[in-house]
Amino acid sequence: MADEIFYWQALNRALDELMAVDEAIFILGEDVGLYGGSYRVTEGLYAKYGEWRVRDTPISEGSFTGLGVGAALMGMRPVVEIMTVNFALLALDAIINMAAKVPFMSGGAFPMGLTVRMPGGVAKQLAAQHSQRLEHTLMNVPGLRIVVPATPQDAYWQLKQAVLSDEPVIVLEHELLYFSKGQVDETLPPPPPHRALCRRQGRDLTIIAYSKMAALAEQAAEKLVAQGIDAEVIDLRSLSPIDWHTCAESVARTHRLLIVEEDCRFAGAGAEIAATLTERCFTQLEVAPLRLGGLDIPTPYNGRLEAQTIPQVEDIVAAAKQLFN
Amino acid sequence: MADEIFYWQALNRALDELMAVDEAIFILGEDVGLYGGSYRVTEGLYAKYGEWRVRDTPISEGSFTGLGVGAALMGMRPVVEIMTVNFALLALDAIINMAAKVPFMSGGAFPMGLTVRMPGGVAKQLAAQHSQRLEHTLMNVPGLRIVVPATPQDAYWQLKQAVLSDEPVIVLEHELLYFSKGQVDETLPPPPPHRALCRRQGRDLTIIAYSKMAALAEQAAEKLVAQGIDAEVIDLRSLSPIDWHTCAESVARTHRLLIVEEDCRFAGAGAEIAATLTERCFTQLEVAPLRLGGLDIPTPYNGRLEAQTIPQVEDIVAAAKQLFN
Amino acid sequence: MDRDQALAFLHDMTLARAFEERAAQEYMQGNIAGFLHLYPGEEAVAVGVLHACEASDYIVTTYREHVHALVRGVPAEEVMAELFGKSHGCSRGMGGSMHLFDAERRFMGGYAIVGETYPVAVGIGYGIVLKDLPEAVICFFGDGAVNQGTFHESLNMAALWKLPVLFVCENNQYQIGTEIHRHSAVPEVYKRASAYRIPAERVDGMDVLKVYEATQHALQQIRAGTGPQLIECVTYRFRGHSMADPGSYRPPVEVKAFQQVDPVEMALRELSLAYPSPEQIATAGPDCLLRLREYCLDQGHLHEESIKDLEQKVQAEVEAAVQFALECPEPTMDDAWDALLCNRNGEVLT
Amino acid sequence: MDRDQALAFLHDMTLARAFEERAAQEYMQGNIAGFLHLYPGEEAVAVGVLHACEASDYIVTTYREHVHALVRGVPAEEVMAELFGKSHGCSRGMGGSMHLFDAERRFMGGYAIVGETYPVAVGIGYGIVLKDLPEAVICFFGDGAVNQGTFHESLNMAALWKLPVLFVCENNQYQIGTEIHRHSAVPEVYKRASAYRIPAERVDGMDVLKVYEATQHALQQIRAGTGPQLIECVTYRFRGHSMADPGSYRPPVEVKAFQQVDPVEMALRELSLAYPSPEQIATAGPDCLLRLREYCLDQGHLHEESIKDLEQKVQAEVEAAVQFALECPEPTMDDAWDALLCNRNGEVLT
Ligand SMILES: Cc1ncc(C[n+]2csc(CCOP(=O)(O)OP(=O)(O)O)c2C)c(N)n1
Ligand SMILES: Cc1ncc(C[n+]2csc(CCOP(=O)(O)OP(=O)(O)O)c2C)c(N)n1
Ligand SMILES: [Mg+2]
Ligand SMILES: [Mg+2]
């Protein structure tokens, strides 16, 4: 039986195991070294691998992410930590115009073994500038892969797969997941990084979610039992590419679809999910797919208001019920 | 009868008329002054209003856009030209984390009369780094308004409305539209900036498009007549907010929806349009809405390949026919 | 520095210290959440700089800005209420600790993305020139912020167009856990200004008078139309980076050494008209400042009583602020939508 | 500089000029599209720098990089085919003029977003140190690129960690239509390096030998482990910014003055073993370089014939490149998908 560890520990273990065997891997970011990482993900690695392989950087997101691009072009496997996704706005040229495009523009002559990890999402009253969600922006960039692990096991698997990939991979970690616990079994063979996971089987309704919302959707599903609704819950695990097959197969069975995301609803990730699954499952759908997303407003600092801007378990329950009216 | 002028001239006229009466308006960007603007939009204004009101900047997109934010906070009306949308990736912190959020974070105590103009889209073999489309990213940002004028008349109207607005407005101009011609009547009262325009009425099918694709959709609609399909063509004119009423009303009549966009299809603007109109019009739809978008690949330099990555008139015709199979 | 001014400084610094320590307590109580970046140790910078400004000058600052707001005159009640996320907070509960604003006092905000203060300040400076006014902008930033690209871009533009901006580096020698020698190839921040031909000076940021004088001088130059200036204030924060940071990356001796040059203590010393001699300072030993304070008191330039009075007054101010914040109503979602849409000026979208 | 080397320089510079002028013609013919940024006038920079590098060094450059590729040894056929967007172009027709790549020659690309070359070069430099190799990276950039934030951020990191990067500024004094005094508060680019404590030098970029020697010297230092270096090459472009730019913002006298210090002419002069005296240069008048060339020829160090031979050889090379490009097949959409997905290493998504 595998032990229960924190999400951050699963990420830490993945990095440690890989760095021990592959010298091409190095970590860089603000306070990843001596300090051990804002969310402890790189704890202990500086002492073990030294400052060149665990590099504390100045506050220069655009350039240290670009540094990762350069190093990846020559065959290294840089793991860039952008302290939070909010600062990734400063690194989007490096991610979108460089990492995602340079190998293509060279006609396919260079690898891009770059991994960019970013904690994000609405945490606890960090206010509008520190509550970004960026999945929609990154999804629209061909050439990037995006994983959104929701459990320690997935964090362990997907980070390992990301680091070993020759494609640029963005790992979106939710700030409120770092101190969630779960089993991590290193001996199990991992599923493909983009494979969606059915977290709960059900007959009446498909709820698709990812990252922190996957757990909330599961809780909502348990509550829905009392209302006589048996919901299937799918955790996407990957936002680019998306495992459409698993999703469509579920919708074809349940005939109802609820999509839950924390991102602002307007032009959020859910829009793509709803649009594609409508195309694929139109005739099987009883009602229009429903998107439950964040409100289209910057995140207020006030805690009660903050909570009202993103889906809560009760909101998911209510939305699910709406699909049966 | 109003005269026919180029799209760039319409923009130029809008700026000139406003600057003559409002001293709070100033323009800044690379080569907007002495050189007259890469696409001539600011031609003649440097000579007329001087270097302080038409300011040539260094190549510092992040900071000169941020300069616009600062000036807007104190009540000025800066009009920032980002030479092309591709460089806006360097200015997204200023646009997303500052312009869109600062007035909100202050509790509503400051105006944000900032206008950011950006030419964009796939032009003629400018390769992957110079063929960005950024609408999806900007749409997901509450607090921003986004207009996408497709004609000289709209360019004239919408730029004027943008500059006079106290909300931050992004004006997305298509590089291939600057030298298109059309009538501009300054005496007509403008419609609200977000109002969609029905460019062609039809009974069988609604085609929703914007910017350059609106004209292509119209051409496709003319060709579809020969196939016995009478298509309605809606030019969105604004991507945030979207005039859902006009769109939904059309779909309710035609029962079929085709969305055409140049942006990469996956998580592009079309996803939001399809998802929302499915929600609003589910029972009126005969078939699932279809999105025709750019391929999910960086834009190749080679001209033939480039053309294959974005919708052409024939592709629109073919997609429309598909909705009747 | 005359006695009145010294007392004003001392008041603000004492209030600053008390306010921040109370904020820390309220955070532990759960009345304040989010990231809370406190200022103890650095008070001489905000107080010295802001006392040298005019009411018509604009202030642009970072997430570590409670004290800047207080010194600028934003009532302690409104600052505390904002930390509590309440509707009478200076940002109506929408911004919180990192985003204090006050339009009336030209307090143009706390910015939480490192490096944002530069372009905002430059933009305001540009507007001032366009309007041809004798105003200036004060732009605060940390030592870690110096490596952000906007520093370079903005200082170049400010210098190129001779904008009336005073750049003030609060060099507390740490970027969270990264010491300045590990983040900057040139750790003397003021030297970087030469790349833009901006006059720059390094001052002892633990000495409020020096900060005040340097600011006065710089603002004189700026108002004379010679373009931007930069002041680097070398200082230290006594606490961790934020309430989430234990600060264990700093050697205890380092923290202690700086506590011994505590600017509040130094301001007290300033009140003494008879300065201690260098010998006296040299022989004062590790608790030199405490001893100096006693020495000053002995000289009769400042009475035990007046210090106690001041401390009580300040405690009452802070207490009142907390009471106000506690009693203040929470904002509603309507308030939030209003904050977002008020610049729409009533335009109704249909 | 010995004769062989001089002849090699002259060959490359002559080829560079002929290649670019032909590219301009092919653009007018419609065989090349997009943005086409040409290099005439600046040849001494690429030739001087790249001849001083080792094959194991890495090159990172901008969108104005055809000549860099040629000098680095990318066959003219493959460069021209790329400009034509053909499948045997050095980027398989996917990149075009602004994005030339050649993995084998460590030609790490042309970057079209101003300021991208810095972090890429710094990243490669970081990799070199991690691998503990004696290699270096050459990072090219224009004068306009100096004001991008990445310059500042990247140079700081390069200096902080002593990375083996040679920063080479191709200062042609214009950022499209904006002259350097209008975009930079400090127009002497090399002076900006002091903000990072990076040794820097300004050289006459119209003189290939000076550029070559400065590069050799800088690379020696870099390989000795002392960290990055910067060279500013002052040069001039004879054409507009790109084929879309008539360049009318520059006074004709300025263009003419720089044409008279044409680096190709100067390289010819270098071939003369008997250098002209300062007096001879002084009396040479406005067409001094033409006269000098004649003078050199008179001295017998270089024959009319050999110049003609060289020019013919180079023309033949360019002609062959154009023929190759014309006959080369177009890439297919399959090729494009392949370029995108090859790093997926056969992973099939189901
Ligand atoms: C662009 C950006 N990157 C990272 C952060 C996270 N962060 C917040 S404060 C800080 C350190 C800033 O140090 P400094 O500028 O010296 O200011 P100090 O906190 O010491 O006052 C960092 C890295 C941020 N807010 N913004
Ligand atoms: C970030 C960015 N902003 C603007 C542009 C448009 N642009 C292309 S080249 C150029 C001028 C660059 O000048 P310089 O660095 O001096 O290089 P030069 O062209 O003179 O060789 C500009 C503004 C761009 N490509 N990237
Ligand atoms: Mg600091
Ligand atoms: Mg230049």
Side-chain angles (χ1 to χ4, degrees):
Chain A
M1 185 73 188
D3 49 333
E4 283 231 328
I5 60 175
F6 288 121
Y7 186 95
W8 71 263
Q9 288 174 309
L11 294 164
N12 183 275
R13 189 178 293 180
L15 290 171
D16 192 5
E17 287 177 14
L18 291 174
M19 289 181 79
V21 296
D22 188 347
E23 299 243 311
I25 300 169
F26 68 101
I27 295 172
L28 73 167
E30 291 153 21
D31 279 323
V32 294
L34 196 59
Y35 190 87
S38 320
Y39 295 99
R40 305 181 62 177
V41 172
T42 51
E43 196 173 270
L45 303 179
Y46 181 82
K48 193 160 172 188
Y49 299 104
E51 64 175 352
W52 280 92
R53 292 191 62 205
V54 186
R55 174 57 73 184
D56 283 322
T57 65
I59 307 179
S60 306
E61 283 81 2
S63 289
F64 70 68
T65 308
L67 187 161
V69 171
L73 280 176
M74 70 180 296
M76 307 297 291
R77 298 200 175 282
V79 182
V80 172
E81 171 175 308
I82 296 187
M83 192 180 264
T84 74
V85 76
N86 310 287
F87 320 139
L89 291 175
L90 296 159
L92 287 184
D93 186 70
I95 294 171
I96 295 178
N97 247 336
M98 294 165 79
K101 293 193 176 66
V102 168
F104 173 82
M105 295 195 305
S106 74
F110 294 90
M112 187 46 64
L114 172 71
T115 301
V116 186
R117 296 183 36 245
M118 327 180 186
V122 173
K124 291 234 168 80
Q125 290 190 248
L126 303 184
Q129 288 194 324
H130 274 72
S131 303
Q132 302 287 327
R133 290 132 303 179
L134 218 57
E135 37 266 38
H136 62 287
T137 291
L138 299 167
M139 284 168 70
N140 192 249
V141 182
L144 291 184
R145 293 181 72 154
I146 309 166
V147 295
V148 277
T151 63
Q153 181 74 68
D154 277 342
Y156 173 80
W157 276 335
Q158 291 184 296
L159 179 55
K160 275 197 150 179
Q161 290 166 322
V163 174
L164 296 178
S165 167
D166 285 340
E167 296 182 281
V169 185
I170 311 294
V171 184
L172 294 175
E173 301 161 7
H174 199 291
E175 291 169 26
L176 294 185
L177 289 177
Y178 285 115
F179 291 88
S180 64
K181 271 198 163 179
Q183 281 183 15
V184 174
D185 188 338
E186 291 108 333
T187 62
L188 285 176
H194 74 293
R195 176 72 65 241
L197 175 74
C198 181
R199 283 170 77 131
R200 182 186 195 282
Q201 292 190 330
R203 281 160 308 154
D204 303 332
L205 159 73
T206 300
I207 307 181
I208 296 179
Y210 59 90
S211 189
K212 191 191 129 201
M213 287 294 146
L216 267 62
E218 222 178 324
Q219 291 167 37
E222 296 308 328
K223 295 203 174 182
L224 282 166
V225 174
Q227 324 266 341
I229 298 176
D230 182 20
E232 178 142 315
V233 177
I234 292 177
D235 173 359
L236 282 181
R237 295 180 72 248
S238 164
L239 288 176
S240 187
I242 287 178
D243 179 0
W244 294 123
H245 178 76
T246 299
C247 298
E249 190 272 334
S250 171
V251 174
R253 273 189 288 105
T254 64
H255 311 297
R256 281 180 170 80
L257 172 60
L258 172 64
I259 298 154
V260 185
E261 66 181 320
E262 191 184 290
D263 203 351
C264 290
R265 188 177 183 278
F266 186 74
E272 175 59 41
I273 302 167
T276 290
L277 290 175
T278 301
E279 276 162 37
R280 296 216 180 192
C281 310
F282 189 71
T283 55
Q284 290 129 334
L285 283 164
E286 282 290 332
V287 289
L290 191 61
R291 287 177 291 154
L292 178 68
L295 297 185
D296 294 311
I297 193 169
T299 309
Y301 166 70
N302 176 280
R304 292 189 204 175
L305 298 189
E306 179 188 63
Q308 288 180 55
T309 64
I310 54 169
Q312 310 295 332
V313 173
E314 314 81 68
D315 301 322
I316 303 175
V317 169
K321 282 161 68 182
Q322 211 180 305
L323 283 168
F324 291 89
N325 287 347
Chain B
M1 183 75 188
D3 50 334
E4 285 232 326
I5 60 175
F6 287 120
Y7 186 95
W8 71 262
Q9 288 174 309
L11 294 164
N12 182 275
R13 189 178 292 180
L15 291 171
D16 192 6
E17 287 177 15
L18 291 174
M19 289 181 79
V21 296
D22 187 347
E23 298 242 313
I25 300 169
F26 67 101
I27 295 172
L28 74 166
E30 292 154 19
D31 279 323
V32 294
L34 195 59
Y35 190 88
S38 320
Y39 295 99
R40 306 181 62 176
V41 172
T42 52
E43 197 173 88
L45 303 178
Y46 181 82
K48 192 160 173 186
Y49 298 103
E51 63 175 353
W52 279 93
R53 291 191 63 206
V54 186
R55 174 57 74 183
D56 284 321
T57 65
I59 307 179
S60 306
E61 282 82 2
S63 289
F64 70 69
T65 308
L67 187 161
V69 171
L73 280 176
M74 68 179 297
M76 307 297 292
R77 297 201 175 280
V79 182
V80 172
E81 171 175 307
I82 296 187
M83 193 180 261
T84 75
V85 76
N86 310 287
F87 319 139
L89 291 175
L90 296 159
L92 287 185
D93 186 70
I95 294 171
I96 295 178
N97 246 338
M98 295 165 77
K101 294 193 175 68
V102 168
F104 173 82
M105 295 194 306
S106 75
F110 293 90
M112 187 47 63
L114 172 71
T115 301
V116 186
R117 296 183 36 245
M118 328 180 186
V122 173
K124 290 233 167 79
Q125 290 190 248
L126 303 184
Q129 287 194 324
H130 273 72
S131 303
Q132 303 285 329
R133 291 133 303 180
L134 218 58
E135 38 267 39
H136 61 288
T137 291
L138 300 167
M139 284 168 69
N140 193 248
V141 182
L144 290 185
R145 293 182 73 154
I146 309 166
V147 296
V148 278
T151 63
Q153 180 74 68
D154 277 341
Y156 173 81
W157 275 336
Q158 291 184 296
L159 180 54
K160 274 195 149 178
Q161 289 166 324
V163 174
L164 296 178
S165 168
D166 285 341
E167 296 183 283
V169 185
I170 311 293
V171 183
L172 294 174
E173 301 162 6
H174 199 291
E175 291 169 26
L176 294 185
L177 289 177
Y178 285 114
F179 292 89
S180 65
K181 273 199 160 178
Q183 282 183 15
V184 173
D185 187 338
E186 291 107 334
T187 62
L188 285 176
H194 75 293
R195 176 73 65 241
L197 175 75
C198 181
R199 284 171 76 130
R200 183 187 194 282
Q201 294 191 328
R203 283 160 308 155
D204 303 332
L205 160 72
T206 300
I207 307 181
I208 295 180
Y210 59 90
S211 188
K212 191 191 131 203
M213 287 294 144
L216 267 63
E218 221 178 327
Q219 291 167 38
E222 296 307 329
K223 294 203 175 183
L224 282 166
V225 174
Q227 324 265 340
I229 298 175
D230 183 21
E232 179 141 314
V233 177
I234 292 178
D235 173 359
L236 283 181
R237 295 180 71 249
S238 163
L239 288 176
S240 187
I242 286 178
D243 179 0
W244 293 123
H245 178 76
T246 300
C247 297
E249 190 271 333
S250 172
V251 173
R253 275 190 287 102
T254 64
H255 311 296
R256 282 181 169 78
L257 172 60
L258 172 64
I259 298 154
V260 185
E261 66 180 319
E262 190 185 290
D263 205 351
C264 290
R265 188 178 183 279
F266 187 75
E272 175 59 41
I273 303 166
T276 290
L277 290 176
T278 300
E279 276 162 37
R280 297 216 179 192
C281 308
F282 188 72
T283 55
Q284 290 129 333
L285 282 164
E286 283 290 331
V287 289
L290 190 61
R291 287 178 291 155
L292 178 67
L295 297 185
D296 294 311
I297 192 168
T299 309
Y301 166 70
N302 176 280
R304 291 189 205 175
L305 299 189
E306 179 188 63
Q308 289 180 54
T309 63
I310 54 170
Q312 309 295 330
V313 174
E314 315 81 67
D315 301 322
I316 303 175
V317 170
K321 283 160 68 181
Q322 211 180 304
L323 283 169
F324 291 89
N325 287 347
Chain C
M1 180 164 67
D2 65 26
R3 201 181 168 83
D4 284 354
Q5 194 169 47
L7 283 171
F9 288 0
L10 186 64
H11 170 269
D12 282 5
M13 286 170 72
T14 311
L15 174 62
R17 182 69 55 92
F19 185 96
E20 293 290 72
E21 292 301 339
R22 182 62 181 264
Q25 287 167 25
E26 297 299 321
Y27 180 92
M28 309 295 269
Q29 298 277 322
N31 285 326
I32 299 175
F35 290 140
L36 187 71
H37 305 85
L38 301 177
Y39 204 60
E42 311 188 28
E43 293 90 346
V45 181
V47 174
V49 169
L50 294 172
H51 273 269
C53 300
E54 300 295 325
S56 57
D57 293 336
Y58 292 86
I59 317 299
V60 182
T61 182
T62 71
Y63 46 87
R64 194 185 298 285
E65 89 289 39
H66 313 157
V67 171
H68 304 71
L70 292 172
V71 178
R72 186 61 178 177
V74 184
E77 283 80 5
E78 291 184 23
V79 178
M80 193 63 86
E82 189 58 36
L83 305 194
F84 279 53
K86 296 298 187 71
S87 69
H88 296 142
C90 59
S91 306
R92 313 238 145 281
M94 301 302 153
S97 158
M98 303 196 285
H99 306 292
L100 305 177
F101 289 85
D102 187 329
E104 193 190 321
R105 293 178 181 84
R106 299 198 161 178
F107 195 79
M108 308 303 282
Y111 293 80
I113 308 294
V114 170
E116 285 183 342
T117 60
Y118 311 113
V120 171
V122 167
I124 297 171
Y126 198 92
I128 290 171
V129 176
L130 265 177
K131 293 178 162 188
D132 202 12
L133 292 169
E135 300 162 351
V137 193
I138 317 298
C139 174
F140 288 97
F141 55 98
D143 53 294
V146 164
N147 299 312
Q148 194 61 279
T150 48
F151 173 85
H152 178 71
E153 298 175 345
S154 297
L155 268 70
N156 181 54
M157 290 192 285
L160 192 60
W161 305 325
K162 295 207 189 310
L163 303 181
V165 183
L166 174 59
F167 295 99
V168 179
C169 181
E170 304 186 296
N171 179 4
N172 62 14
Q173 303 162 70
Y174 280 88
Q175 162 202 317
I176 307 188
T178 304
E179 202 268 340
I180 189 162
H181 288 92
R182 298 177 67 243
H183 72 60
S184 283
V186 171
E188 301 87 1
V189 170
Y190 77 100
K191 288 192 183 166
R192 299 234 187 150
S194 71
Y196 320 99
R197 218 172 268 152
I198 294 181
E201 187 185 353
R202 173 179 254 199
V203 301
D204 180 355
M206 302 305 268
D207 186 331
V208 65
L209 182 59
K210 293 225 178 82
V211 173
Y212 175 76
E213 286 172 348
T215 306
Q216 268 199 322
H217 177 74
L219 283 172
Q220 262 162 22
Q221 299 294 110
I222 287 171
R223 291 193 222 279
T226 61
Q229 301 260 333
L230 185 146
I231 298 175
E232 172 187 1
C233 303
V234 182
T235 180
Y236 201 75
R237 60 169 158 74
F238 293 166
R239 289 181 156 272
H241 170 72
S242 72
M243 285 300 287
D245 169 26
S248 49
Y249 43 84
R250 302 188 304 183
V253 288
E254 179 182 301
V255 179
K256 200 152 171 224
F258 276 93
Q259 274 168 345
Q260 283 165 2
V261 288
D262 186 327
V264 176
E265 299 289 328
M266 280 178 77
L268 277 172
R269 187 186 64 195
E270 294 294 346
L271 286 176
S272 148
L273 298 183
Y275 285 102
S277 68
E279 296 82 62
Q280 285 170 317
I281 293 177
T283 58
D287 59 350
C288 58
L289 289 189
L290 281 175
R291 287 197 203 168
L292 278 177
R293 182 161 121 182
E294 271 173 30
Y295 171 84
C296 297
L297 291 166
D298 284 350
Q299 299 294 307
H301 298 298
L302 194 70
H303 302 284
E304 282 280 7
E305 285 311 298
S306 42
I307 294 186
K308 284 215 185 102
D309 284 356
L310 176 62
E311 278 172 354
Q312 276 175 9
K313 177 167 169 285
V314 155
Q315 282 304 340
E317 275 180 77
V318 171
E319 188 57 42
V322 169
Q323 279 311 314
F324 178 86
L326 279 170
E327 286 158 20
C328 193
E330 305 253 351
T332 64
M333 263 326 280
D334 279 352
D335 295 333
W337 287 113
D338 226 52
L340 181 66
L341 300 176
C342 58
N343 283 327
R344 194 161 284 183
N345 298 327
E347 178 191 341
V348 180
L349 304 175
T350 52
Chain D
M1 181 164 65
D2 64 28
R3 200 181 169 85
D4 284 355
Q5 194 170 47
L7 283 171
F9 288 1
L10 186 64
H11 169 269
D12 282 5
M13 287 169 73
T14 312
L15 173 64
R17 181 69 55 92
F19 185 97
E20 293 290 73
E21 292 300 338
R22 182 62 181 265
Q25 287 167 25
E26 297 299 321
Y27 180 90
M28 308 294 269
Q29 298 277 321
N31 285 325
I32 300 174
F35 290 140
L36 186 72
H37 305 85
L38 301 177
Y39 204 59
E42 310 188 28
E43 293 90 346
V45 181
V47 173
V49 169
L50 294 172
H51 273 269
C53 300
E54 300 295 326
S56 56
D57 293 336
Y58 292 85
I59 317 299
V60 182
T61 181
T62 72
Y63 47 86
R64 195 185 297 285
E65 89 289 40
H66 312 158
V67 171
H68 304 71
L70 293 173
V71 178
R72 186 61 178 177
V74 184
E77 284 81 6
E78 292 185 23
V79 178
M80 193 62 86
E82 190 57 38
L83 305 193
F84 279 53
K86 295 300 187 71
S87 69
H88 296 141
C90 59
S91 306
R92 314 239 146 281
M94 300 302 151
S97 158
M98 303 195 287
H99 306 293
L100 305 178
F101 289 86
D102 187 329
E104 194 192 318
R105 292 179 181 84
R106 299 196 161 180
F107 195 79
M108 309 303 283
Y111 292 80
I113 307 294
V114 170
E116 286 183 341
T117 61
Y118 312 113
V120 171
V122 167
I124 297 171
Y126 198 91
I128 290 171
V129 176
L130 266 178
K131 293 179 160 188
D132 203 12
L133 291 169
E135 300 162 352
V137 193
I138 317 298
C139 174
F140 288 97
F141 55 98
D143 53 294
V146 164
N147 299 314
Q148 193 61 279
T150 49
F151 173 86
H152 178 71
E153 298 176 345
S154 296
L155 268 69
N156 181 53
M157 290 192 284
L160 192 60
W161 305 325
K162 295 207 190 312
L163 303 182
V165 182
L166 174 59
F167 295 99
V168 178
C169 181
E170 303 186 297
N171 179 3
N172 62 14
Q173 303 164 68
Y174 279 88
Q175 163 202 316
I176 306 188
T178 304
E179 202 267 340
I180 189 162
H181 288 93
R182 297 178 67 242
H183 71 60
S184 283
V186 172
E188 302 87 359
V189 171
Y190 76 100
K191 287 192 184 166
R192 298 235 188 150
S194 72
Y196 320 99
R197 219 172 266 152
I198 293 181
E201 187 185 353
R202 173 180 256 201
V203 300
D204 179 354
M206 302 306 267
D207 185 332
V208 65
L209 183 59
K210 294 225 177 83
V211 174
Y212 174 77
E213 285 171 349
T215 307
Q216 267 198 323
H217 177 73
L219 284 173
Q220 262 161 23
Q221 300 294 108
I222 287 171
R223 289 193 224 280
T226 60
Q229 301 261 330
L230 184 146
I231 299 175
E232 172 187 2
C233 303
V234 182
T235 179
Y236 200 76
R237 61 170 157 73
F238 292 166
R239 290 181 156 273
H241 170 72
S242 72
M243 285 300 287
D245 169 26
S248 48
Y249 43 85
R250 303 189 301 182
V253 287
E254 178 182 302
V255 178
K256 202 153 169 223
F258 275 95
Q259 273 167 346
Q260 282 165 3
V261 288
D262 186 328
V264 175
E265 301 288 329
M266 280 179 74
L268 277 173
R269 188 185 67 196
E270 293 294 346
L271 286 175
S272 149
L273 298 182
Y275 284 101
S277 69
E279 294 84 62
Q280 284 170 316
I281 294 175
T283 58
D287 58 351
C288 59
L289 289 189
L290 282 175
R291 285 198 204 170
L292 277 178
R293 184 160 120 181
E294 270 173 33
Y295 171 83
C296 296
L297 292 165
D298 283 351
Q299 299 294 307
H301 297 300
L302 194 69
H303 301 285
E304 282 278 8
E305 286 310 297
S306 42
I307 294 187
K308 283 213 185 105
D309 284 356
L310 175 63
E311 278 172 354
Q312 275 175 9
K313 180 166 167 285
V314 155
Q315 283 304 339
E317 276 179 76
V318 172
E319 187 58 42
V322 170
Q323 279 311 315
F324 178 86
L326 279 170
E327 285 159 20
C328 194
E330 305 253 351
T332 64
M333 263 327 278
D334 279 351
D335 295 334
W337 286 113
D338 226 52
L340 181 67
L341 299 177
C342 58
N343 283 328
R344 194 159 284 184
N345 298 326
E347 178 191 341
V348 181
L349 306 174
T350 53

